[in-house]
Amino acid sequence: MEKVNLKEKIRIIPDFPQPGILFKDVTPLLKDAKAFAYAIDQMASKCSSLEFDLIVGPEARGFVIGAPLAYRLGVGFVPVRKKGKLPAATIQGEYKLEYGFDVLEIHQDAIQPGQKVLVVDDLLATGGTIGATVRLVEKAQGIVSAVVCLIELTYLPGRQNLKEYEVISVIQY
Ligand SMILES: O=P(O)(O)OC[C@H]1O[C@H](OP(=O)(O)OP(=O)(O)O)[C@H](O)[C@@H]1O
Ligand SMILES: Nc1ncnc2[nH]cnc12
């Protein structure tokens, strides 16, 4: 596939959603068919040597990236959602964001004990969201093979906060 400069497709919005945050807006990348396909293919190729049975991704941007990656890699997708959205029995975990707190949930029966999981999101900042997602996978007795993100903010301690896990990213700031 023809190379795409993915950084050119990411728009940086200063002071969103609060002062001091440089928000990395992936919507221009998502609406560009070639860039979106190239981004998913780049993520997929970085996963080629890993063993996994499932992708787990957190709401909302983790769905937009995790679901096409699951399709591309030929595995199923399991959603992790913000509190109160999943209909069946759940496991819950609290987490801290670069800009706030929230609770995430996964269906209790979404992962079979021992299944290998790739945790996927659009962006790794502090690692709060992915850390909470990893904890939910492990509470469900899944095994985290790796954490895979499109974007990594290397000026924040996401990778350090996930140091027990392999962390893969395609674009770094
Ligand atoms: O590494 P962290 O500090 O946890 O930050 C990264 C998370 O923040 C964003 O999600 P957000 O909570 O803004 O929700 P959204 O996907 O629903 O927009 C992003 O999509 C990641 O999930
Ligand atoms: N700086 C940032 N840009 C986009 N999404 C984010 N999630 C957490 N921090 C973010």
Side-chain angles (χ1 to χ4, degrees):
M1 185 177 215
E2 205 178 310
K3 194 172 187 299
V4 177
N5 184 339
L6 294 175
K7 273 196 178 172
E8 277 178 5
K9 303 287 176 188
I10 295 166
R11 176 166 61 176
I12 299 185
I13 314 277
D15 301 322
F16 181 88
Q18 61 192 45
I21 303 289
L22 286 176
F23 192 87
K24 309 300 184 293
D25 177 18
V26 292
T27 62
L29 184 154
L30 297 173
K31 78 171 179 186
D32 182 315
K34 279 190 185 148
F36 190 17
Y38 183 74
I40 297 300
D41 282 358
Q42 289 294 108
M43 294 179 83
S45 76
K46 285 178 182 274
C47 298
S48 60
S49 63
L50 299 171
E51 281 183 34
F52 50 89
D53 306 303
L54 273 179
I55 284 181
V56 174
E59 180 177 349
R61 283 173 271 153
F63 295 1
V64 178
I65 299 296
L69 184 61
Y71 179 79
R72 179 73 174 72
L73 291 170
V75 296
F77 178 80
V78 169
V80 161
R81 296 214 61 180
K82 287 167 189 168
K83 190 175 156 65
K85 299 284 187 180
L86 287 172
T90 64
I91 303 169
Q92 295 191 351
E94 202 184 65
Y95 71 114
K96 188 177 180 300
L97 271 172
E98 192 183 355
Y99 38 76
F101 283 91
D102 221 329
V103 172
L104 288 179
E105 296 186 319
I106 192 169
H107 274 144
Q108 262 172 24
D109 62 357
I111 298 171
Q112 303 303 308
Q115 273 193 311
K116 297 192 180 97
V117 171
L118 289 183
V119 171
V120 173
D121 204 351
D122 69 321
L123 182 142
L124 174 63
T126 65
T129 306
I130 288 183
T133 303
V134 160
R135 289 193 295 279
L136 290 177
V137 168
E138 291 179 343
K139 266 196 208 172
Q141 297 179 63
I143 297 161
V144 175
S145 298
V147 163
V148 189
C149 302
L150 179 60
I151 303 169
E152 177 179 357
L153 305 184
T154 60
Y155 51 87
L156 291 170
R159 185 175 283 271
Q160 195 181 314
N161 289 336
L162 296 165
K163 59 178 178 294
E164 290 145 57
Y165 303 93
E166 180 169 358
V167 175
I168 294 167
S169 62
V170 171
I171 305 161
Q172 295 83 25
Y173 289 93

Short mmCIF file of all heavy atoms in Angstrom, two decimals, residues 21-25 61 97-99 122-123 125 153 155-156, ligand 2:
data_model
loop_
_atom_site.label_atom_id
_atom_site.label_comp_id
_atom_site.label_asym_id
_atom_site.label_seq_id
_atom_site.Cartn_x
_atom_site.Cartn_y
_atom_site.Cartn_z
N ILE A 21 -4.07 21.44 27.31
CA ILE A 21 -4.09 20.17 26.57
C ILE A 21 -3.94 20.46 25.07
O ILE A 21 -4.64 21.31 24.52
CB ILE A 21 -5.42 19.39 26.81
CG1 ILE A 21 -5.67 19.11 28.29
CG2 ILE A 21 -5.47 18.12 25.96
CD1 ILE A 21 -4.76 18.08 28.92
N LEU A 22 -2.98 19.76 24.45
CA LEU A 22 -2.86 19.81 22.98
C LEU A 22 -3.60 18.60 22.43
O LEU A 22 -3.07 17.48 22.43
CB LEU A 22 -1.39 19.74 22.56
CG LEU A 22 -0.53 20.99 22.77
CD1 LEU A 22 0.92 20.70 22.40
CD2 LEU A 22 -1.07 22.17 21.96
N PHE A 23 -4.83 18.81 22.01
CA PHE A 23 -5.69 17.69 21.61
C PHE A 23 -5.32 17.21 20.21
O PHE A 23 -5.29 17.99 19.26
CB PHE A 23 -7.16 18.12 21.65
CG PHE A 23 -8.11 16.96 21.54
CD1 PHE A 23 -8.51 16.26 22.67
CD2 PHE A 23 -8.60 16.56 20.30
CE1 PHE A 23 -9.38 15.18 22.57
CE2 PHE A 23 -9.47 15.48 20.20
CZ PHE A 23 -9.86 14.79 21.33
N LYS A 24 -5.05 15.90 20.09
CA LYS A 24 -4.72 15.30 18.80
C LYS A 24 -6.03 14.79 18.19
O LYS A 24 -6.59 13.79 18.64
CB LYS A 24 -3.74 14.13 18.97
CG LYS A 24 -2.49 14.46 19.80
CD LYS A 24 -1.66 15.57 19.21
CE LYS A 24 -0.37 15.82 19.97
NZ LYS A 24 -0.55 16.35 21.34
N ASP A 25 -6.51 15.51 17.19
CA ASP A 25 -7.81 15.22 16.57
C ASP A 25 -7.61 14.29 15.37
O ASP A 25 -7.03 14.70 14.36
CB ASP A 25 -8.46 16.54 16.15
CG ASP A 25 -9.78 16.35 15.44
OD1 ASP A 25 -10.37 15.26 15.57
OD2 ASP A 25 -10.22 17.31 14.76
N ARG A 61 -13.20 6.21 20.92
CA ARG A 61 -12.25 6.15 19.81
C ARG A 61 -11.56 4.80 19.72
O ARG A 61 -11.08 4.42 18.64
CB ARG A 61 -11.26 7.31 19.91
CG ARG A 61 -11.87 8.64 19.48
CD ARG A 61 -10.95 9.80 19.74
NE ARG A 61 -11.13 10.37 21.04
CZ ARG A 61 -10.19 11.02 21.71
NH1 ARG A 61 -8.99 11.17 21.20
NH2 ARG A 61 -10.46 11.52 22.89
N LEU A 97 -8.12 10.05 33.76
CA LEU A 97 -7.75 10.52 32.42
C LEU A 97 -6.76 11.68 32.50
O LEU A 97 -6.58 12.27 33.57
CB LEU A 97 -8.99 11.09 31.73
CG LEU A 97 -9.87 10.16 30.93
CD1 LEU A 97 -11.12 10.91 30.51
CD2 LEU A 97 -9.11 9.71 29.68
N GLU A 98 -6.20 12.06 31.32
CA GLU A 98 -5.39 13.29 31.25
C GLU A 98 -6.26 14.47 31.72
O GLU A 98 -5.76 15.45 32.23
CB GLU A 98 -4.89 13.51 29.81
CG GLU A 98 -3.82 14.57 29.68
CD GLU A 98 -3.40 14.83 28.23
OE1 GLU A 98 -3.86 14.13 27.32
OE2 GLU A 98 -2.61 15.77 28.03
N TYR A 99 -7.60 14.33 31.56
CA TYR A 99 -8.49 15.42 31.95
C TYR A 99 -9.75 14.91 32.64
O TYR A 99 -10.84 15.20 32.22
CB TYR A 99 -8.84 16.29 30.74
CG TYR A 99 -9.04 15.55 29.44
CD1 TYR A 99 -10.20 14.83 29.18
CD2 TYR A 99 -8.06 15.56 28.46
CE1 TYR A 99 -10.40 14.16 28.00
CE2 TYR A 99 -8.23 14.88 27.25
CZ TYR A 99 -9.41 14.18 27.03
OH TYR A 99 -9.59 13.52 25.85
N ASP A 122 -7.05 4.53 20.25
CA ASP A 122 -6.49 5.47 19.27
C ASP A 122 -5.23 6.12 19.82
O ASP A 122 -4.29 6.37 19.08
CB ASP A 122 -7.52 6.54 18.86
CG ASP A 122 -7.85 7.51 19.97
OD1 ASP A 122 -7.96 7.08 21.14
OD2 ASP A 122 -7.98 8.71 19.69
N LEU A 123 -5.22 6.40 21.14
CA LEU A 123 -4.16 7.26 21.67
C LEU A 123 -3.80 6.85 23.09
O LEU A 123 -4.67 6.59 23.92
CB LEU A 123 -4.68 8.70 21.65
CG LEU A 123 -3.75 9.81 22.11
CD1 LEU A 123 -3.93 11.05 21.23
CD2 LEU A 123 -3.99 10.16 23.56
N ALA A 125 -2.07 8.38 26.32
CA ALA A 125 -1.60 9.63 26.97
C ALA A 125 -1.00 9.25 28.31
O ALA A 125 0.17 8.84 28.37
CB ALA A 125 -2.76 10.61 27.07
N LEU A 153 1.62 9.70 23.12
CA LEU A 153 2.17 10.98 23.58
C LEU A 153 3.35 10.66 24.50
O LEU A 153 3.16 10.31 25.67
CB LEU A 153 1.09 11.78 24.32
CG LEU A 153 -0.21 12.04 23.55
CD1 LEU A 153 -1.14 12.94 24.36
CD2 LEU A 153 0.06 12.64 22.18
N TYR A 155 5.53 12.46 25.84
CA TYR A 155 5.81 13.40 26.93
C TYR A 155 4.95 13.11 28.16
O TYR A 155 5.06 13.81 29.16
CB TYR A 155 5.63 14.86 26.45
CG TYR A 155 4.31 15.16 25.76
CD1 TYR A 155 3.19 15.52 26.49
CD2 TYR A 155 4.20 15.07 24.37
CE1 TYR A 155 1.98 15.79 25.86
CE2 TYR A 155 3.00 15.34 23.73
CZ TYR A 155 1.89 15.70 24.48
OH TYR A 155 0.69 15.97 23.86
N LEU A 156 4.10 12.12 28.08
CA LEU A 156 3.29 11.68 29.23
C LEU A 156 3.70 10.25 29.60
O LEU A 156 4.24 9.53 28.76
CB LEU A 156 1.80 11.75 28.88
CG LEU A 156 1.26 13.17 28.70
CD1 LEU A 156 -0.15 13.15 28.12
CD2 LEU A 156 1.28 13.95 30.02
N1 LIG B 2 -3.95 15.16 24.11
C1 LIG B 2 -4.92 14.32 23.73
N2 LIG B 2 -5.43 14.37 22.49
C2 LIG B 2 -6.41 13.54 22.10
N3 LIG B 2 -6.95 12.62 22.91
C3 LIG B 2 -6.48 12.54 24.16
N4 LIG B 2 -6.79 11.73 25.20
C4 LIG B 2 -6.03 12.06 26.24
N5 LIG B 2 -5.20 13.06 25.94
C5 LIG B 2 -5.46 13.37 24.64
#
